[in-house]
Structures are given as C-alpha cells and as structure tokens.
Amino acid sequence: MPLREQDWELVTTWLEKYLLNVADPYSRLAQYFPHEFLAALPLTNVIAQNARTLVHASRRSIELEVQLVDAVTRLDDIRVRPDIEDARAFLARLREDLRIHNEQDVFRTCVLQQDTGAFIGREDLRETLRGLVAAGGKSVLLVDGVPGSGRSYTYQFLRHLGSHKGFRPARVTLSDTYTGAQVLRRLAEYVVDPRAGTQWLGPTLPGDGPPTLAEVARRVISLAATAETRYWLVLDDCDRLDPLSDVWEVINELAKAIYEYADPDRVPRLVLLGYGRTMHQLPDELQGILCWDTARIIDPPELRRFFDQCFRESPPARLDDADPAEIDGLVDEAVAQVLYAARSPDDDGENYMRRVRRATEKAIHVYRSL
C-alpha cells in the first residue's frame, strides 16, 4: 500500500540523518541511484532541502519509491538502529504496491489504503477514470449525487490511482465563504515551485493592474502542465458555493484554460465533486472535454459483489484451499453484518455510506485475520 504523508516525512528525516549528511551528495547518491536519475536532481549544500528534493523526485512513480526506500534500508548507519524496522516495513509495503501495480487492474481495485480502505462499486466511475487517465481524451470530470452518497470519497480513489498512474490530486475543499482568488491561491500552493517566490505569475510591465482571475487561472494551468509532478486539480463540495460566488467564474476559466492548452499529454485534469447538473453550466464549447459521474447509495447486490471480489482475491492462508461454498457463506455473513451496522446509527453523526464503509473495513479486517 502507498506510504502516507507522515511516512514520507520520516523517510525524509532518515535521508537527512543517514544519507545526505556529506559534503558531496552526488557522489554519495551515485552508490545507490543511476546517473540519469541523479543528473536531473537540483541538489544544493542544504541537507534538508536535498532530502526533500530526493523524496519529491522519487515519488513520481512506484518504481522510484521502491528504489529510494530500498537504498535507505541498505545504509550502514540505519541498519544498526531501531529505525531499520520501520524502513523495512515501508519497503515491504511499497513492493506489495508495485506488485499490485504490475499484476492487477488498478481501476478495479476494491481495497485501497492501509489494506482495509473500502471503495465499493462505482463501476461507471472506474471506467470513466480509465478514459480520463488516457491522453487526448476527456479532461474535466463532474461528479454529482445526493449528499452522503460518496461524492467526496471519490478523492480517495483518485489518490489510489494517482499513486499507480503517476499523478497527484491537488484538492481544495470549498465553502460558501471561499472567493475565486482564494481558490486560485490554494491551487497555486500545489503547483508553484517554491523557488519561484512571488514571481510565479510572470513579469509585469509598468502600469499593469492586478491580474484578472482568468489570467491567474491560465497561469495555474500552465504551471500544473509544465511541473515535474503531474497534477489533477480537485474542487470538492461545489454544492456549498453561493450561486453568485466568483468561484464559478474561476471554474469556467480553469476549464477553458485546459481546453485551450496545446499539449493534451501534459494538461492537468479538473475534477469537480458535488457539481450538480442543475448548477452553473460550463460554456458549450467545453462540452467535448466533459464527462459526468453520479454517486449513488449502494444496494445489497453491489455490496455482495464487493465482498465476493475482496474475499476471493486475497484469502487468508487458512482459506487457500477452501471450498467455494465456505467463502460464499462468509460473503453472505459479511453483507448481513454490514447492512445491520449501517441501519443502526450511533451517536457519532456519520451518514449511511460512512457507516457502510466503516463496517465494511471492519469485516475485511476480521476476514483477513482468520
């Protein structure tokens, strides 16, 4: 499974302490990494910055992530310290993630992060995203559905796909107080190289006024398209916006900038979660790059298909040679228990779909402990 952000922070600390605390980082790294990889690294004499640069460059693909953490586990300084246990555990997780990447259709994955995160159903979305990942196809996804149907949970699947398909979802969760300028500023925090400082909008001429929202939106898309990391821009909770908010103008401008960008292989995708079909309509000229998905409350047959796939893809050792009927019985029991738990709300305020996911993840944990 992918490493979490706090895990990567730990890896960064190890690099500072055990690998990059030398006068010539390139010579040290040459013992563990190929020349082509190192040639593209802008290293300096600042150890902490070099560690962040190395992690950032390695997170472009699962193969590079495995290469980096494998190098960490081979360092003499860490192998005699307790940190080595965590490093080896991280490496095992990444190698398993690489195996899944190489052997399984990641668009069909039903269990996501930490080996228990459930992503149930959404068959249409999975195929829509397959097309969205492909170059030259659609580039703006709008997800509607009733509140509590899993619209925002779509982001978790985007993170899963991003770790396998080489992109990073950059999410801004909206509210009725957000302005267009705030949204663009938040997106810029993802795509702007920190070394660009305040000049990321480009040079200005004497007498120029402040840039318009359209100009800033185009610059954000251009920077996202040319960044080392591929980005998908995600605006969540679009249904919370005021109908008169200038964020709708920003959404228009971002979509138009994507439509007009010259290189379809590099242009970022735009994902709008909670964007109902009766809301502010994007310009007609953009209809060719739009695709829609509707999140729905799952039904028992969908839940049964989920458990059938999950239980048969990765059975515990005790069930390796089990009669199929035994697994059928476990699927039936899991479905019944999840539906019972989902219909029995407790005091935590969770909606129905969150209760379904929580009960499903508990059932997966129990099954894999058999």
Side-chain angles (χ1 to χ4, degrees):
M1 64 178 178
L3 299 190
R4 299 164 298 179
E5 290 303 319
Q6 54 264 46
D7 298 331
W8 283 114
E9 289 295 329
L10 189 53
V11 172
T12 304
T13 299
W14 293 336
L15 295 174
E16 292 180 37
K17 293 171 60 176
Y18 305 128
L19 179 63
L20 294 169
N21 55 343
V22 293
D24 184 359
Y26 283 107
S27 296
R28 183 73 186 277
L29 292 174
Q31 303 174 43
Y32 304 97
F33 301 95
H35 172 75
E36 296 76 11
F37 175 76
L38 295 180
L41 288 181
L43 300 182
T44 67
N45 60 353
V46 181
I47 294 175
Q49 180 61 46
N50 289 343
R52 289 191 294 271
T53 298
L54 182 55
V55 168
H56 178 77
S58 298
R59 293 183 68 181
R60 292 201 303 268
S61 72
I62 301 175
E63 290 85 357
L64 290 172
E65 291 177 352
V66 171
Q67 175 181 265
L68 176 64
V69 180
D70 177 65
V72 169
T73 63
R74 292 188 283 122
L75 297 172
D76 291 337
D77 287 348
I78 197 174
R79 294 177 70 177
V80 297
R81 301 175 187 274
D83 289 337
I84 189 60
E85 298 304 322
D86 285 334
R88 286 170 175 163
F90 289 177
L91 181 59
R93 284 162 54 185
L94 289 173
R95 282 176 170 164
E96 175 62 12
D97 207 34
L98 181 60
R99 183 192 67 79
I100 293 171
H101 173 73
N102 291 333
E103 297 180 4
Q104 297 183 14
D105 181 353
V106 295
F107 292 96
R108 311 306 303 169
T109 302
C110 62
V111 179
L112 308 181
Q113 74 279 2
Q114 300 178 19
D115 207 31
T116 56
F119 195 79
I120 306 168
R122 307 291 294 274
E123 304 304 321
D124 291 342
L125 173 70
R126 294 170 187 270
E127 294 310 309
T128 297
L129 288 171
R130 193 189 299 275
L132 209 65
V133 166
K138 307 286 187 178
S139 47
V140 178
L141 170 65
L142 306 97
V143 178
D144 67 350
V146 299
S149 60
R151 300 171 309 186
S152 292
Y153 197 65
T154 304
Y155 173 71
Q156 302 303 324
F157 196 69
L158 293 180
R159 290 188 62 190
H160 157 76
L161 278 186
S163 69
H164 290 278
K165 295 299 179 180
F167 68 85
R168 180 185 178 190
R171 179 171 65 166
V172 178
T173 301
L174 305 173
S175 73
D176 57 0
T177 63
Y178 256 93
T179 66
Q182 287 174 315
V183 171
L184 291 170
R185 191 156 51 243
R186 287 290 313 280
L187 291 174
E189 289 173 1
Y190 287 102
V191 305
V192 173
D193 187 330
R195 292 169 294 185
T198 60
Q199 303 302 313
W200 64 272
L201 276 171
T204 57
L205 298 175
D208 282 353
T212 65
L213 291 178
E215 290 170 333
V216 179
R218 285 196 296 272
R219 184 60 176 158
V220 166
I221 293 302
S222 177
L223 289 171
T226 55
E228 195 173 284
T229 301
R230 291 179 59 204
Y231 285 99
W232 285 28
L233 309 181
V234 183
L235 301 183
D236 196 357
D237 285 344
C238 291
D239 56 338
R240 296 181 63 186
L241 292 173
D242 186 282
L244 300 179
S245 170
D246 64 352
V247 176
W248 297 115
E249 178 187 350
V250 164
I251 291 173
N252 270 8
E253 297 300 338
L254 289 170
K256 285 197 293 185
I258 288 172
Y259 173 71
E260 295 166 356
Y261 196 78
D263 186 354
D265 291 340
R266 290 295 306 177
V267 71
R269 306 301 188 249
L270 177 63
V271 180
L272 305 172
L273 304 179
Y275 200 105
R277 294 174 187 263
T278 60
M279 293 181 187
H280 176 89
Q281 296 299 299
L282 291 166
D284 289 342
E285 65 184 297
L286 305 183
Q287 297 306 307
I289 66 170
L290 306 184
C291 50
W292 285 87
D293 177 73
T294 300
R296 297 180 175 86
I297 304 296
I298 67 161
D299 55 24
E302 200 166 32
L303 190 60
R304 185 177 303 278
R305 289 193 294 272
F306 170 87
F307 278 116
D308 190 70
Q309 176 185 347
C310 176
F311 285 8
R312 294 182 193 282
E313 280 185 345
S314 54
R318 185 184 75 78
L319 296 176
D320 278 346
D321 300 317
D323 188 303
E326 182 176 358
I327 295 183
D328 288 342
L330 292 171
V331 169
D332 292 341
E333 182 179 352
V335 171
Q337 290 296 325
V338 168
L339 292 176
Y340 175 79
R343 296 190 196 102
S344 307
D346 46 31
D347 295 330
D348 59 12
E350 287 187 330
N351 63 41
Y352 179 81
M353 283 295 289
R354 287 197 180 97
R355 294 197 300 273
V356 166
R357 282 197 300 272
R358 184 156 57 95
T360 297
E361 289 161 5
K362 181 178 179 181
I364 295 170
H365 176 76
V366 171
Y367 175 75
R368 292 183 174 176
S369 66
L370 293 176

